[in-house]
Amino acid sequence: KDQGRLDTIPGFLPGIGANIVGCAFADRCALATERCLTEPPPLYDLGDGRLSRCHYHDNAQALPRTTPADVPAAPPKHAPPVLQVEGLNKTYASHGHPLRAVKDVSVSLRPGETLGLVGESGSGHKVVLGTARRPDGHTPGPSPMELVLIGTGGCSAYDVVHILEKGREAIEDCVVELDADRAETDPKVFTRIHMHFIVKGHALSHDKVERAIDLSIEKYCSA
């Protein structure tokens, strides 16, 4: 990575909860064979402290690149920063009350570096925030406001499933599709959130499903 741009594998990793039988990269790798789809690769010791979890690691160097390699080497780590912020604070006025968005944040970004933000919950879980776009236009994770929507949908879906299970309904799946609008000026809060519930199960009562959704939206969901 200090001599040129690292290559990438096109596509995306399987979703959370996907049943992966073989290699997680099999659907995206040009070297993949039937073996890769059915047999998880062990950790191969290549010597000199190098390890690989690929059945065909000997052929990896022969793969054609999917991203350009002709980029300059990374600047020295002591290069002066192109962006430096110290003690940043930002507070917005929201409905007559102060809303602190940033408190005492310091950032130093040097040539060749990429700024990444990781949010950590009180329970110790971490989420990479999508604050910078890669050359292919994708971000490394959801934006903070996308996480707000995901949390809202997840909170309500949990309520619906819990209420229906308590009512002895044979629920099998609950998907919440969200569509939202945001204010055009700062703070760009959500001005409209539409939630479309897709609930699946065996012989579900339409009235009970509708009541579970209403209870979640109007009473139980904290998001």
Side-chain angles (χ1 to χ4, degrees):
K1 70 181 181 181
D2 292 331
Q3 285 129 17
R5 181 180 297 174
L6 291 175
D7 200 10
T8 59
I9 299 178
F12 299 92
L13 285 170
I16 297 175
N19 183 23
I20 304 172
V21 179
C23 175
F25 297 93
D27 292 336
R28 307 159 54 199
C29 179
L31 294 175
T33 65
E34 186 65 28
R35 178 188 182 190
C36 303
L37 296 171
T38 58
E39 181 183 334
L43 194 61
Y44 294 96
D45 188 347
L46 308 184
D48 297 327
R50 297 168 58 237
L51 302 171
S52 175
R53 198 176 291 277
C54 175
H55 293 308
Y56 304 107
H57 52 270
D58 291 336
N59 301 328
Q61 296 299 325
L63 279 171
R65 291 186 62 92
T66 59
T67 53
D70 55 345
V71 293
K77 295 185 178 180
H78 60 269
V82 294
L83 173 66
Q84 187 163 354
V85 178
E86 295 183 0
L88 176 65
N89 294 277
K90 182 63 178 178
T91 301
Y92 296 100
S94 178
H95 303 289
H97 301 282
L99 176 64
R100 173 165 285 175
V102 178
K103 179 183 178 182
D104 196 25
V105 172
S106 298
V107 176
S108 180
L109 193 64
R110 290 178 168 78
E113 294 181 336
T114 300
L115 176 64
L117 298 179
V118 177
E120 183 173 356
S121 68
S123 56
H125 298 285
K126 296 181 180 180
V127 177
V128 177
L129 301 179
T131 55
R133 292 192 177 275
R134 302 193 296 258
D136 59 6
H138 296 290
T139 60
S143 71
M145 293 304 284
E146 286 176 330
L147 280 178
V148 172
L149 281 182
I150 293 172
T152 301
C155 177
S156 192
Y158 178 87
D159 289 339
V160 171
V161 171
H162 182 66
I163 293 170
L164 291 175
E165 286 182 339
K166 287 186 64 176
R168 300 186 181 278
E169 291 292 308
I171 182 172
E172 298 174 353
D173 191 24
C174 178
V175 175
V176 184
E177 297 178 347
L178 295 105
D179 180 64
D181 294 327
R182 293 177 61 184
E184 296 183 357
T185 58
D186 293 328
K188 297 180 180 179
V189 297
F190 287 112
T191 56
R192 181 191 66 88
I193 297 178
H194 176 76
M195 306 174 72
H196 176 64
F197 290 81
I198 304 173
V199 183
K200 298 180 181 180
H202 179 68
L204 292 175
S205 167
H206 180 274
D207 291 342
K208 289 185 177 180
V209 171
E210 188 173 29
R211 179 175 178 274
I213 294 173
D214 289 341
L215 285 173
S216 173
I217 299 299
E218 298 173 3
K219 183 176 181 180
Y220 292 115
C221 184
S222 304

